[in-house]
Amino acid sequence: MFESLSERLERSFKILKGEGKITEINVAETLKDVRKALLDADVNFKTAKTFTETVKEKALGQQVLTALKPNQLMVKIVHDELAALMGGSSVDINLKGSPAVVLMSGLQGSGKTTFSGKLANFIKTKRGKRPLLVACDVYRPAAIEQLRVLGEQLAIPVYAEEGNNNPVKIAENAVKHAKQQGFDVVIVDTAGRLAVDEVMMTEIAAIKKALSPQEILFVVDSMTGQDAVNTAREFNERLDFDGVVLTKLDGDTRGGAALSIRSVVNKPIKFVGTGEKMDALDVFHPERMADRILGMGDIVSLVERAQEQFDEEEARRLSKKIAKNQFDFNDFVSQIQQVKKMGNLKDLASMIPGMGKALKDVEIDNDAFKGVEAIIASMTPAERSNPALINGSRKQRIAKGSGTTVVEVNRLLKQFDQMSKMMRMATTGKFGKKRRG
Amino acid sequence: MGLFNLFNKEKKEVLDQGLSKTKESVFSKLTRAVAGKSKIDDEVLDNLEEVLITSDVGVETTLRIIERIQKRVSRDKYLNADELNSILRDEISELLLENNSSTTSDFSDPLQETPYVIMVVGVNGVGKTTTIGKLAHQFSKAGKKVFLGAADTFRAAAVEQLVVWGERTQANVIKQKMGADPASVAYDTVSSAKANGADVVIIDTAGRLHNKVNLMNELTKIKNVIQKVVPNAPHEVLLVLDGSTGQNAFEQAKQFTKATDVSALAITKLDGTAKGGVVIGISDQFKIPVKYIGLGEGMDHLQVFDRKNFVNSLFEQ
Ligand SMILES: Nc1nc2c(ncn2[C@@H]2O[C@H](COP(=O)(O)OP(=O)(O)OP(=O)(O)O)[C@@H](O)[C@H]2O)c(=O)[nH]1
Ligand SMILES: Nc1nc2c(ncn2[C@@H]2O[C@H](COP(=O)(O)OP(=O)(O)OP(=O)(O)O)[C@@H](O)[C@H]2O)c(=O)[nH]1
Ligand SMILES: [Mg+2]
Ligand SMILES: [Mg+2]
């Protein structure tokens, strides 16, 4: 256990020390990784490019004040930027109007009909309003029946006109019907359509014109690839929709389409679909989505924990003491405490890219510091601040007090000696770069 | 002449139409990339990378293609835009062809055994039921007796949807109540098809996300039950992938293969703006041939996949 202690601490110290600030060089690799992560997540090529550029601009020259490496901080910056871009202030669905009209739009199979049912259920149960579902998909086999079944399950009325194949007329009639019957919200389900299908796009534009909906939602499959931008742009140009619904997030897709769409049309993501059942609807969480897209959640949480826990002042104080060769056992303990505060050692190590593997053979024991702390606790305050005092009889007393042996006490003293030398070298620049700031 | 011979002019036009969006953008970009250049430089490769990534080919496969092109160029010393285009076409076709023998199946070909059972699987909304309708149409047209099994007993009106397709294509639909055990529906369908001397059986299954273990196990069960009636069945397990899906399609291919030994792929919705580049990546990575592509919602909008033609259509000017 003792053999690896100095190695462990050396590593932790390196992490704690950081590498100054973010420069072109120390983040080039990280930016590459981030870009690849975004592309693997289906973020659009151009979006990924501009996004990483922007982030780089923002990050360059930023001081790495905390207990981190620049590349780790970089990932965190990317994450926060992602979340900010997708989030902004959350916008609620607009249900003002009597009745309020909500129009669904999107590609084939994206989940419009299912979401229509979910939304109706949400409006009924969570908002206490009376929704009416309207079946305007006159093309897909059994589309009307599908909506009817959902309405039945939810005990929510469905308006349909068997035999009428004009969706604009059906929609108009439905709104009339809703007014007469005192429905609060009309949810119009439409057929799936391709953005390049001129006839179908004209049709949905006509529905919009006829109804002037309070809310037009663009329903998109979260597994969509690079094409998401084209589709979103086209639908937005034709409909100027109000919000996006991201479906099938219960899968394992990274969902980069969310970012692409946001960056192209700048419309809020209002809901997500998380299952086939009628209650599988959620509001959008930008933070979670950012984690998901980036796929580097481990690093992000490492950074957050480090930022939370690491005491900048304490680090400064220590590094001064080290430089003046005044590093003592009190500092040693405080150093251990810092490391421990950052959480489970093994967790911590495995969260650092490359580190997990490097440390694989080095058995990290979470109780690694127990013996050490016990030994130090058995020292007198004088011994702690001046380790040179510790002679043979003192060693025996300390060993007895800490339930260890003199051999172990000796080992710690030797380790400590090596460590303080090493630290001094590190901080005075004899190896590695001198710490700035 | 096969029904789906893609060299048939009429068919080729449909494919071209479907892929025309792709063609234009890939081409204009590549042409721009090589304009006025006498050799392949980083800028050309960067542009090529953009073209491939934006077609959903994926980072890994894109890097592989670029590597191959670089090797080829350093060997053959090109180049003008035309030559680059043909090299690119070659290299991509090769990726697509490498894993598979390119047997173009014909719907009027005699079947290896009757009833010939096809089980159709895939995530939600990719176009399974529609593809089944299209296949039923082709087999019926070729004079085959077709049975469809409505084993999606979960999604609202899934059975009714299949029934409509059955009516359109003169296929028998075997069904039970909504919520019934899908394996039992599959069993009924294959038994009934066998008893009635059917040529082809196609089993529709509910859409399911590949990360849901129980639902994936259910598929394995359906497959095993079918085997009880016809030991060699299913003769084909067709995984339907949505052509606009991004990199998640790889995971879909992987997980569905694990649960059901997928034997062929169908890529749908290639009539949209999605590039369908996912086909290249998946064909490259999995040893499963792409068999059909969907180019619309009508019953005629299905084609047997032909790699050469696909790549040609992608890069034709
Ligand atoms: N797992 C999962 N499945 C979903 C979700 N939303 C929809 N689905 C499924 O996706 C498939 C397609 O959903 P639909 O609601 O029929 O899609 P649509 O957009 O109305 O389709 P078209 O009308 O044909 O364009 C169905 O199997 C739904 O059950 C979701 O959030 N999670
Ligand atoms: N444009 C276009 N639409 C297609 C194609 N194939 C299927 N669709 C449409 O996609 C939507 C979903 O198709 P389905 O066949 O219901 O999909 P599914 O996989 O059976 O869906 P679930 O059973 O709900 O999982 C429907 O609106 C189809 O008309 C295609 O090749 N092109
Ligand atoms: Mg629908
Ligand atoms: Mg289906």
Side-chain angles (χ1 to χ4, degrees), chain A residues 89-153:
Chain A
S89 51
S90 78
V91 191
D92 194 20
I93 184 167
N94 179 7
L95 297 175
K96 287 188 203 99
S98 50
V101 176
V102 183
L103 176 64
M104 299 296 162
S105 69
L107 294 183
Q108 285 92 347
S110 59
K112 296 172 293 301
T113 307
T114 307
F115 183 74
S116 298
K118 290 178 184 176
L119 183 65
N121 183 43
F122 173 86
I123 285 169
K124 181 183 167 188
T125 58
K126 300 268 155 67
R127 298 287 163 91
K129 297 197 173 196
R130 272 187 77 205
L132 175 70
L133 284 162
V134 182
C136 280
D137 179 354
V138 298
Y139 309 99
R140 169 172 163 172
I144 297 171
E145 185 57 25
Q146 186 185 358
L147 197 65
R148 274 216 181 103
V149 171
L150 296 178
E152 222 163 87
Q153 277 174 17

Side-chain angles (χ1 to χ4, degrees), chain A residues 275-320:
Chain A
E276 298 187 69
K277 303 230 171 80
M278 286 297 111
D279 57 359
L281 161 153
D282 203 348
V283 291
F284 179 67
H285 300 281
E287 292 281 336
R288 278 188 219 164
M289 202 62 217
D291 272 356
R292 190 169 176 146
I293 292 176
L294 197 56
M296 295 182 177
D298 302 3
I299 299 177
V300 173
S301 56
L302 163 74
V303 173
E304 274 163 3
R305 267 156 72 187
Q307 282 178 336
E308 243 167 61
Q309 307 291 354
F310 189 77
D311 185 338
E312 191 66 26
E313 282 309 304
E314 176 67 8
R316 288 230 173 82
R317 191 186 65 77
L318 265 183
S319 104
K320 257 188 213 142

Side-chain angles (χ1 to χ4, degrees), chain A residues 35-36 40 42 45-46 108 140-142 146 194 196 223-227 248 250-253 276, chain B residues 49-50 53-54 56 60 124 155-157 161 209-212 244 246-248 251-252 269 271 273 297:
Chain A
R35 184 166 163 266
K36 182 169 183 297
D40 283 342
D42 296 318
F45 185 85
K46 286 215 178 70
Q108 285 92 347
R140 169 172 163 172
Q146 186 185 358
L194 295 171
V196 286
M223 294 177 276
T224 311
Q226 296 283 321
D227 185 53
K248 307 177 198 175
D250 45 327
D252 57 6
T253 182
E276 298 187 69
Chain B
E49 182 194 85
E50 176 172 357
I53 298 274
T54 50
D56 285 320
E60 300 288 321
N124 306 82
R155 210 213 59 218
Q161 186 186 359
L209 293 175
H210 50 281
N211 58 340
K212 307 205 167 162
S244 64
Q247 300 308 301
N248 193 249
E251 202 55 33
Q252 293 172 24
K269 308 183 194 174
D271 48 327
T273 39
E297 299 182 77

Side-chain angles (χ1 to χ4, degrees), chain B residues 4 50 76 79 90 131 154 166 205 220 250 286 302-303 309:
Chain B
F4 275 82
E50 176 172 357
D76 295 355
L79 282 171
D90 278 10
T131 303
F154 179 77
T205 62
T220 314
F250 284 89
F286 299 92
L302 177 90
Q303 300 200 345
N309 242 320

